Amino acid sequence: MPVGVLALQGSFNEHIAALRRIGVKGVEIRKAEQLDNVSSLIIPGGESTTMAKLAELHNLFPALREFVKMGKPVWGTCAGLIFLANKATGQKEGGQELVGGLDCTVHRNFFGSQIQSFEAEVPVPDLAAKEGGPPSFRAVFIRAPAILEVGPDVEVLASISIRSTDIVDPSQEAQPDTKVIVAVKQGNLLATAFHPELTIDSRWHSYFVKMSDSNNEIVASSSSSSSYEDQESFLYNKQSKTDLPVYE
């Protein structure tokens, strides 16, 4: 069965393209009944309040919560992370509805507004161990959230070191070189505060597909069995540069 990508708003096309690069079919999901035809789901980055309003308009929240409760793999990127969190802070007045299931607290727009977006090399030891490639991932943070707290069953996959001056929310009292969590896994749920779909490094997508493979729910094409070096090294050297600031 294919991987579903919630296609209400945001970077759903980029996720489908990334899945295609590793030989996996992705399909757009806009209606609750379409979830019956996919084995797993990606909730993409975008504007979380707008996505929540559209999901509510289409009565998607009950079906999304049931999908999570059934144990099917779900991956949230950026706004998708906010959707999956049990608790979100820093929201607009009135807040927004959440899918929940991920035992964590996130801060919406922790790193600031659109003009404070950036790229950073994020250490990813677990990802590198499972998928190969370099020990860090070039992560794109756009109006990014951060994970403030996690429950005992949540595995931290990546953190980023920040300075106190990088924190937009004055209520967060961080000292220099404070580490903020930006990627986690809990059972069938995966979440990243950044946008892997906006890079040519497909390791996070491969990692997620293998979460589904462990349930024998996805059969990828033969191209997905090739190594990280075979798939990515040439493209990685040829990728276009963005004008986002870089945190070294």
Side-chain angles (χ1 to χ4, degrees):
M1 294 177 74
V3 175
V5 182
L6 191 65
L8 301 177
Q9 190 262 347
S11 56
F12 56 89
N13 281 324
E14 288 81 357
H15 273 293
I16 290 173
L19 290 168
R20 188 182 302 119
R21 288 201 302 271
I22 60 170
V24 175
K25 182 180 180 181
V27 297
E28 297 177 9
I29 301 294
R30 293 187 176 89
K31 299 179 181 179
E33 56 267 27
Q34 293 174 319
L35 289 170
D36 296 334
N37 301 318
V38 297
S39 59
S40 55
L41 180 70
I42 297 173
I43 304 178
E47 210 295 311
S48 61
T49 304
T50 300
M51 289 172 62
K53 288 179 179 178
L54 290 170
E56 186 175 4
L57 178 66
H58 293 284
N59 196 32
L60 272 166
F61 277 106
L64 290 171
R65 293 188 185 108
E66 183 60 26
F67 197 90
V68 169
K69 290 179 181 177
M70 290 173 64
K72 292 188 176 183
V74 181
W75 175 21
T77 63
C78 196
L81 159 62
I82 299 171
F83 262 52
L84 289 178
N86 284 345
K87 182 180 179 181
T89 65
Q91 299 190 66
K92 295 180 180 178
E93 185 175 353
Q96 69 180 67
E97 194 168 355
L98 303 174
V99 174
L102 185 60
D103 187 12
C104 71
T105 299
V106 302
H107 189 289
R108 185 180 182 272
N109 296 120
F110 179 88
F111 292 102
S113 65
Q114 190 84 15
I115 62 171
Q116 291 160 312
S117 300
F118 64 96
E119 293 185 24
E121 290 289 340
V122 178
V124 286
D126 188 69
L127 182 73
K130 290 182 170 62
E131 299 298 327
S136 64
F137 182 87
R138 186 74 161 199
V140 179
F141 293 84
I142 301 176
R143 296 182 62 192
I147 301 167
L148 305 181
E149 298 176 343
V150 297
D153 296 326
V154 177
E155 179 184 359
V156 175
L157 299 179
S159 300
I160 183 173
S161 295
I162 61 172
R163 304 177 300 271
S164 295
T165 53
D166 297 326
I167 299 175
V168 173
D169 180 12
S171 68
Q172 302 302 318
E173 298 179 358
Q175 300 301 317
D177 298 323
T178 292
K179 286 193 174 183
V180 175
I181 300 169
V182 294
V184 295
K185 180 178 179 290
Q186 180 185 357
N188 60 309
L189 303 179
L190 177 67
T192 55
F194 46 89
H195 290 263
E197 75 278 11
L198 299 183
T199 76
I200 51 78
D201 189 338
S202 299
R203 287 181 294 167
W204 283 104
H205 288 83
S206 178
Y207 184 94
F208 178 64
V209 166
K210 288 173 183 175
M211 287 174 57
S212 301
D213 281 341
S214 67
N215 294 332
N216 296 317
E217 292 180 335
I218 290 181
V219 179
S221 74
S222 59
S223 64
S224 65
S225 63
S226 58
S227 69
Y228 169 84
E229 288 74 13
D230 291 339
Q231 292 186 31
E232 306 292 350
S233 59
F234 177 77
L235 289 174
Y236 192 82
N237 291 327
K238 296 295 184 181
Q239 68 175 318
S240 61
K241 302 298 182 182
T242 71
D243 58 359
L244 293 176
V246 176
Y247 283 12
E248 300 293 355

